Amino acid sequence: MTERRNIFYYYKQDEEIVSKVAPLFEASERYGFTIVDDAREANIIASIGNDGDFLQAVRKTGFRNDCLYMGISTKHNLNMYCDFKIDDTSKMINAMLNEQLEVRRYPLIEISIDGQGTFQCLNEFSIRSSIIKTLVIDVFVDSLHLETFRGDGLIVATPTGSTAYNKSVKGAIVDPQLTCMQVSEVASINNNSYRTLGASFILSGERTLTLKVVSENNDHPTMGMDNEALSIRHVDKIQIRLSENKLKTLKLKDNSFWEKVKRTFL
Ligand code: NAP
Ligand code: MN
């Protein structure tokens, strides 16, 4: 038997979901788990819903590194962060009881904006022009000025986030066993005045990426962390690096990242 006994379920209070959770709650208690109302008391945090809900569950509970996260899908098809289907109660209980066997660690990125605190992201940090004018950003890798970007915006994705927004702009899909971050462009202008790589690039965990927003009447871009908009509006300098923290998630056997990629996209 395991020592992890407190479980916090994160889910939307909508009728359809509430009607599906009862058998799961009943089984968790029968196998000796305590369902807690306060996430801070939990050793296991389980999100019930889809990938968007999993991202929220992780964010709202503070990217705990002393906790195991698990994603439970309410639909028939599994999502990228959801390894379990709501009806597969026995598979879930089994995994929770044998959690030490199947734990996955997902790289996270850490964002610092004008020294106003740091934020973590599981999918990506994105910055986009919020007006019709293009956004201009000086891009630095460590202390090297790499390029001046002019266009709609930039996406900095984790490996697990590489299949989300990053993929829509033709970024590569990255194995989460690689601790790295990927920078992808959204509609860059490339002509004789403005030049960018025009390709996504992947930085090692040792690098720091710095984005300096060049004002030109466009210093209130829209910034997003996973599925949440940042309330900070004015921005000059953004620093992004890999977090020392990794998100621990519970997984099922035969459900590797590449199996998920195949099942979701192919
Ligand atoms: P949403 O607008 O409802 O979801 C966008 C889609 O992305 C949903 O189908 C969602 O799956 C899926 N998704 C989320 N994380 C994923 C991942 N790591 N790999 C593959 N697919 C993923 O918003 P949301 O559900 O709250 O998700 C937020 C994410 O949407 C952001 O982090 C960003 O990556 C992505 N996004 C994409 C675009 C784009 O592709 N043009 C634009 C904005 C945001 P579920 O249905 O399971 O939730
Ligand atoms: Mn969604």
Side-chain angles (χ1 to χ4, degrees):
M1 279 274 175
T2 156
E3 282 166 26
R4 290 184 183 273
R5 306 236 62 77
N6 286 358
I7 181 158
F8 176 78
Y9 285 106
Y10 176 95
Y11 57 101
K12 283 198 201 93
Q13 296 295 324
D14 76 37
E15 254 174 61
E16 199 202 336
I17 294 183
V18 171
S19 69
K20 286 181 177 169
V21 298
L24 173 60
F25 288 7
E26 188 273 320
S28 337
E29 283 177 333
R30 184 152 37 88
Y31 281 90
F33 291 91
T34 305
I35 300 173
V36 295
D37 294 327
D38 185 341
R40 286 171 298 186
E41 292 166 12
N43 325 100
I44 298 178
I45 295 176
S47 150
I48 303 173
N50 56 24
D51 283 342
D53 298 314
F54 186 82
L55 293 169
Q56 279 292 303
V58 171
R59 183 162 299 282
K60 293 261 154 64
T61 57
F63 294 86
R64 293 262 306 270
N65 65 2
D66 55 346
C67 244
L68 275 177
Y69 285 89
M70 69 192 277
I72 302 167
S73 170
T74 45
K75 297 269 152 35
H76 289 297
N77 51 327
L78 291 165
N79 317 54
M80 290 300 284
Y81 288 115
C82 303
D83 287 86
F84 304 89
K85 289 186 194 149
I86 186 85
D87 311 321
D88 275 342
T89 318
S90 60
K91 270 192 188 166
M92 278 184 266
I93 299 289
N94 238 329
M96 291 194 280
L97 292 172
N98 299 297
E99 102 311 279
Q100 66 281 21
L101 300 177
E102 294 290 329
V103 174
R104 224 185 336 230
R105 287 177 173 76
Y106 289 150
L108 299 166
I109 51 174
E110 198 173 88
I111 290 96
S112 150
I113 297 172
D114 292 335
Q116 297 179 53
T118 57
F119 307 91
Q120 295 186 85
C121 295
L122 175 57
N123 258 1
E124 78 281 291
F125 169 78
S126 61
I127 178 164
R128 274 182 298 165
S129 177
S130 56
I131 56 172
I132 297 302
K133 273 173 70 82
T134 53
L135 180 64
V136 182
I137 300 173
D138 277 320
V139 179
F140 296 80
V141 173
D142 296 331
S143 58
L144 172 77
H145 176 256
L146 182 70
E147 61 183 17
T148 301
F149 171 91
R150 187 174 196 111
D152 285 3
L154 290 170
I155 299 165
V156 185
T158 65
T160 54
S162 68
T163 50
Y165 199 179
N166 167 76
K167 181 173 178 292
S168 303
V169 297
K170 304 273 182 281
I173 294 180
V174 176
D175 194 317
Q177 291 187 13
L178 297 169
T179 304
C180 63
M181 57 185 174
Q182 176 168 195
V183 186
S184 293
E185 303 178 345
V186 186
S188 60
I189 294 179
N190 269 285
N191 56 24
N192 293 332
S193 310
Y194 304 108
R195 180 76 50 216
T196 58
L197 273 180
S200 295
F201 57 95
I202 294 176
L203 297 176
S204 88
E206 311 298 310
R207 304 278 184 207
T208 300
L209 178 78
T210 303
L211 306 178
K212 285 188 186 159
V213 176
V214 180
S215 287
E216 292 191 24
N217 304 324
N218 194 355
D219 55 359
H220 294 84
T222 300
M223 289 179 285
M225 298 182 311
D226 303 337
N227 51 6
E228 212 151 280
L230 246 172
S231 53
I232 298 172
R233 292 197 60 230
H234 178 88
V235 58
D236 292 317
K237 185 173 146 187
I238 302 154
Q239 284 191 303
I240 304 163
R241 53 173 70 94
L242 262 301
S243 171
E244 280 172 18
N245 185 15
K246 282 192 179 181
L247 196 82
K248 294 202 236 2
T249 63
L250 208 54
K251 70 167 288 221
L252 280 176
K253 284 195 175 64
D254 309 322
N255 196 19
S256 72
F257 178 73
W258 293 102
E259 276 159 308
K260 287 165 186 251
V261 168
K262 182 171 178 189
R263 143 190 114 199
T264 308
F265 300 108
L266 297 170

